[in-house]
Amino acid sequence: MTEPREPCWEKTLTVADVAETQELARSIGADLRAGDLLVLTGGLGAGKTTFTQGLGESLGVREGIISPTFVLMRIHPSLRGGPDLVHVDAYRLSSAGELDDLDLESTLARSVTVVEWGAGKVEQLSDSRLEITLSRAAGQGIGSELIFDFEELDAEEPRTVHVAGYGPRWDGIQPG
């Protein structure tokens, strides 16, 4: 499969807090279907898992979405007959080969797959994807305490969210 190198479209938004981050994710989630791949990028505490929680609400999957940092992958089954949500954290994986061991190909067609820290590692899984980059204005400096959930930070700190659609699935369609 050839991965598209240039986006069909891009947009940049600002969200003020956790609620707006999850609302943006819910609006994007309303346009998702089985087989969709989302690649989330952002520093520690940028809101990747918070965003995924909003997607999960929109998709109607089982509650309890937390970062899969230590288990690498969690599958959240649909509660209403839609696609499951496969939530992956590729932070500790050093190559696409290590990601292959998770066998995402077996769930991709029937799920919405979200990969945190997946840039440069998962693009080959699909000919289409959404790339979503979340940035904090303050950043996460060297020597700072590690933050794993948006809720641990100032909930009112704004984020910049850059969304780009790649491949035929997103040609002419901008979710949200």
Side-chain angles (χ1 to χ4, degrees), residues 135-154:
S135 305
R136 291 174 53 202
Q140 185 71 25
I142 295 173
S144 298
E145 178 183 351
L146 295 180
I147 306 294
F148 292 100
D149 289 312
F150 199 164
E151 292 81 4
E152 294 178 45
L153 302 167
D154 180 0

Side-chain angles (χ1 to χ4, degrees), residues 6-158:
E6 296 296 321
C8 302
W9 54 265
E10 300 176 77
K11 63 182 173 182
T12 301
L13 308 146
T14 300
V15 293
D17 53 23
V18 169
E20 283 189 17
T21 300
Q22 290 183 336
E23 182 56 37
L24 173 62
R26 282 190 292 274
S27 69
I28 290 172
D31 292 319
L32 297 178
R33 63 183 186 211
D36 286 340
L37 172 65
L38 287 78
V39 181
L40 300 187
T41 302
L44 294 171
K48 296 177 298 296
T49 298
T50 296
F51 185 90
T52 305
Q53 291 166 345
L55 283 176
E57 286 179 38
S58 180
L59 294 170
V61 301
R62 184 179 62 209
E63 292 183 9
I65 294 174
I66 60 172
S67 177
T69 300
F70 300 106
V71 296
L72 303 181
M73 181 175 80
R74 295 182 193 277
I75 299 175
H76 300 276
S78 175
L79 299 176
R80 59 180 186 215
D84 295 340
L85 174 65
V86 175
H87 186 197
V88 178
D89 187 321
Y91 181 76
R92 296 185 299 141
L93 303 177
S94 60
S95 69
E98 288 182 334
L99 201 60
D100 286 345
D101 292 339
L102 296 178
D103 194 25
L104 294 176
E105 293 86 2
S106 69
T107 59
L108 191 63
R110 65 179 186 276
S111 303
V112 169
T113 303
V114 175
V115 184
E116 296 185 24
W117 306 96
K121 298 176 186 172
V122 298
E123 291 83 356
Q124 78 286 352
L125 289 174
S126 177
D127 62 355
S128 298
R129 68 187 179 279
L130 286 179
E131 291 187 2
I132 300 169
T133 304
L134 296 106
S135 305
R136 291 174 53 202
Q140 185 71 25
I142 295 173
S144 298
E145 178 183 351
L146 295 180
I147 306 294
F148 292 100
D149 289 312
F150 199 164
E151 292 81 4
E152 294 178 45
L153 302 167
D154 180 0
E156 300 303 317
E157 184 180 356

